[in-house]
Amino acid sequence: MLPELQIAFQTIKHGTEIVKGLAAADKAFDQAEIKLKLNDVTGLLLDARAAVTDANDQLIERDAEIGRLREALRNKDEVTKQHDAYYTKDGEGQPMGAPYCMKCFEVDHRLVHLISSARADIKVVCPQCKNQFERRFASTIRPAGVEG
């Protein structure tokens, strides 16, 4: 369990005990004591709300990370490396299509297509990380018999 949720449950429990004590008390409490106890309960409920909000934020971040990891696993199965780039696998597991950035895939587990650089005749560049690769080691691979 997230520590924030434990804090929330403890503060709610404590607040509930205060309210039960007020409800069970006889008329011996004066107005000042009741207001003081209600202020205590209000503070505890605000603490619990903040803890639950923090826990929710952590769960959202965790879910996003799980999504990124699932995508990375799916991508890993769909691509293969050849020279300085990754490519989508064809039906036989061979590389084909436009190249993906090697650094972005290996470090960030993201598939980012390489694009032509200012020196398009010899370089391609990743629009994400800006790494440059020699075109001869990261060029588009077309299926046999298909002209580009």
Side-chain angles (χ1 to χ4, degrees):
M1 179 181 296
L2 292 173
E4 289 80 4
L5 287 178
Q6 290 176 335
I7 292 169
F9 290 136
Q10 289 170 352
T11 57
I12 290 171
K13 180 181 176 190
H14 187 63
T16 303
E17 290 168 359
I18 292 172
V19 171
K20 283 180 183 177
L22 282 172
D26 57 18
K27 295 188 181 208
F29 281 120
D30 65 4
Q31 288 291 351
E33 286 179 287
I34 291 174
K35 286 183 179 182
L36 183 62
K37 295 290 184 185
L38 287 175
N39 281 338
D40 288 346
V41 170
T42 301
L44 290 170
L45 290 174
L46 289 172
D47 291 345
R49 180 180 178 180
V52 169
T53 300
D54 289 345
N56 186 54
D57 291 345
Q58 286 187 12
L59 291 173
I60 289 169
E61 288 176 21
R62 204 176 277 177
D63 287 347
E65 180 64 17
I66 289 170
R68 285 189 293 273
L69 292 172
R70 283 185 177 154
E71 181 181 1
L73 271 175
R74 191 172 44 252
N75 288 343
K76 186 175 182 179
D77 289 340
E78 294 175 0
V79 297
T80 187
K81 183 178 178 190
Q82 181 169 319
H83 302 295
D84 287 348
Y86 281 87
Y87 295 87
T88 304
K89 294 179 187 176
D90 66 9
E92 297 167 4
Q94 296 301 311
M96 70 168 230
Y100 295 104
C101 177
M102 182 171 56
K103 186 242 180 214
C104 286
F105 183 72
E106 291 178 355
V107 175
D108 301 325
H109 311 289
R110 297 181 64 205
L111 292 175
V112 180
H113 277 290
L114 299 175
I115 59 174
S116 296
S117 70
R119 297 282 322 261
D121 56 329
I122 58 172
K123 298 278 186 185
V124 289
V125 65
C126 174
Q128 182 71 33
C129 71
K130 309 302 182 213
N131 275 352
Q132 294 187 9
F133 303 90
E134 289 188 43
R135 181 173 290 282
R136 64 186 172 131
F137 294 122
S139 58
T140 300
I141 299 174
R142 305 201 189 291
V146 175
E147 302 260 338

